[in-house]
Amino acid sequence: MDHFELKNGELYCEDVRLAEIAESVGTPVYVYSRATLERHADTFRAGVAAAGDVHVAYAVKANPNLAVIHVLAGRGCGADVVSEGEMVRALAGGVPPEEIVFSGVGKSAREMVAALDAGIGQFNIESEVEGEELSAVAAARGKRAVAVLRINPDVDARTHAKISTGKSENKFGVPISDAQAIYGRLAALPGLAMRGIALHIGSQLLTLDPLEEAFVKVGELVAALRADGHVITHVDLGGGLGVRYKEGDDPRWPDEYGAMVARVTADWGVTLMFEPGRVIAANAGVLVTRVIRVKPGVEAPFVIVDAAMNDLARPALYDAWHDFEAVHPTGKRFVANIVGPVCETGDTFAMHRDIDVVAAGDLAIFRSAGAYGATMASFYNSRDMVPEVMVSGSEWAVVADRIPAAATVAAERVPDFLKG
Ligand code: LLP
């Protein structure tokens, strides 16, 4: 459930007309609903509470806007970060350092130092060499890094190949078959305080079976590690829960997920950690756009909107579907192609889509754009960086400015040796 609804024939976010925001801030613009973010955070927590002692670390990569992090921190979410930049954001957004988990397959030594100095709660180690390096960095600073080992369970998450992370050919984690031996060696290092296992098998998962299959393997590993004499207190089950992008998507919402987790982990005796991103943020945001013009096409008209692949990359990258709706729908529909102004065919949001009839100047939204939307935006085609707005009840504010593409020119220069 979200808070983007029609009232009096026009789309609102909570109690604010989207048209008011669009007219004031300009388009394209991302709009987030605080009530939806909070609802999703609460629903997720309630779902996994069935599994006992849990720690929810919001995956900042899904939407790293400071105001979003602040709202979620207020709901008791920690943060899962994958770069120093995300860590800085999490801290600035009000997440206590001990609630921060540092994931990611390529942590640099510099990032390790920054995270140790900030006093973050846990590192998720992705390889033996990374663990050795983290140990050395920590020991040199007289510290021990609290850490878990990320395993790769080799299960097929049955999602888009580019967001699948738990198959043996993927770059993430250590093969589960090697995990026991690697864990033993890492646990003996002076700069590490190993306390458990992590995994994350992929994103936009619409079925629980692959997760359950992976969790069962982790349960066996935990038992084997304990038999080796290790004290295992934490298991990080990652994120990955899918959301409804289009009719027919049937996500396994947190209660069903929580029940499965509770069943599979019943005898683990650990603190369970989670890293949800999309399930919290996706449907809490829309991208508001204005139709530039409608161009006739051979098979269907092209609705050219002022948002493009540089603002919302998911359709171009993953052939992702985002529902498109007019802000002032008339009830009339037509079949059209929805495209942006960027000069490549990949800048296509939808082909042959049955949509609200729109004309030049009309406002429309792409739904479910709160996760992996603004954060993946770029200046491509020297277009502005898209601004972001947060709504709370009848209040709203710009929470990320539009950065004019022209401003990037000021950061560039033609050196003297090229002149003359
Ligand atoms: N934890 C780790 C270690 C991850 O790699 C990810 C996502 C998450 C948690 C959060 O997963 P979620 O709950 O959001 O599924 N840009 C892509 C999605 C990439 C996901 C990468 N990792 C997209 O737009 O679909």
Side-chain angles (χ1 to χ4, degrees), residues 43-52 54 208 211 215 237 241 252-266 272 274:
T43 308
F44 187 88
R45 184 176 294 284
V48 294
V54 301
L208 294 181
L211 287 166
F215 296 170
L237 297 178
L241 274 193
R252 304 286 121 185
W253 273 89
D255 47 354
E256 207 177 320
Y257 172 74
M260 181 277 281
V261 170
R263 177 165 50 76
V264 175
T265 66
L272 290 175
F274 299 89

Side-chain angles (χ1 to χ4, degrees), residues 85-139:
E86 285 191 353
M87 182 186 79
V88 167
R89 285 176 168 278
L91 292 169
V95 179
E98 62 275 14
E99 301 285 317
I100 296 179
V101 173
F102 205 124
S103 304
V105 74
K107 300 171 201 77
S108 67
R110 191 193 112 137
E111 287 177 317
M112 291 174 183
V113 168
L116 283 166
D117 288 351
I120 66 148
Q122 176 177 299
F123 290 85
N124 290 6
I125 296 172
E126 297 251 1
S127 65
E128 185 167 6
V129 279
E130 183 198 319
E132 289 165 354
E133 194 173 336
L134 177 60
S135 173
V137 168

Side-chain angles (χ1 to χ4, degrees), residues 59 61 80 150 163 200 203 240 275 277-278 314 318 372 376:
K61 64 173 81 64
D80 163 52
R150 178 170 177 181
I163 52 175
H200 172 78
S203 198
E275 302 171 352
R278 190 188 313 265
R314 303 193 67 258
Y318 319 115
Y372 307 111
M376 291 170 68

Side-chain angles (χ1 to χ4, degrees), residues 44 57-62 80-82 102-105 124 126 150 159-160 162-165 172 198-205 236-243 245 274-281 312-315 317-318 320 322 371-373 375-376:
F44 187 88
Y58 165 63
V60 168
K61 64 173 81 64
D80 163 52
V81 304
V82 294
F102 205 124
S103 304
V105 74
N124 290 6
E126 297 251 1
R150 178 170 177 181
T159 184
H160 193 284
K162 287 189 184 161
I163 52 175
S164 181
T165 50
F172 300 97
L199 80 163
H200 172 78
I201 64 168
S203 198
Q204 183 56 11
L205 273 54
D236 183 338
L237 297 178
L241 274 193
V243 302
Y245 281 104
F274 299 89
E275 302 171 352
R278 190 188 313 265
V279 76
I280 290 183
L312 177 61
R314 303 193 67 258
L317 272 179
Y318 319 115
H322 288 266
Y372 307 111
T375 185
M376 291 170 68

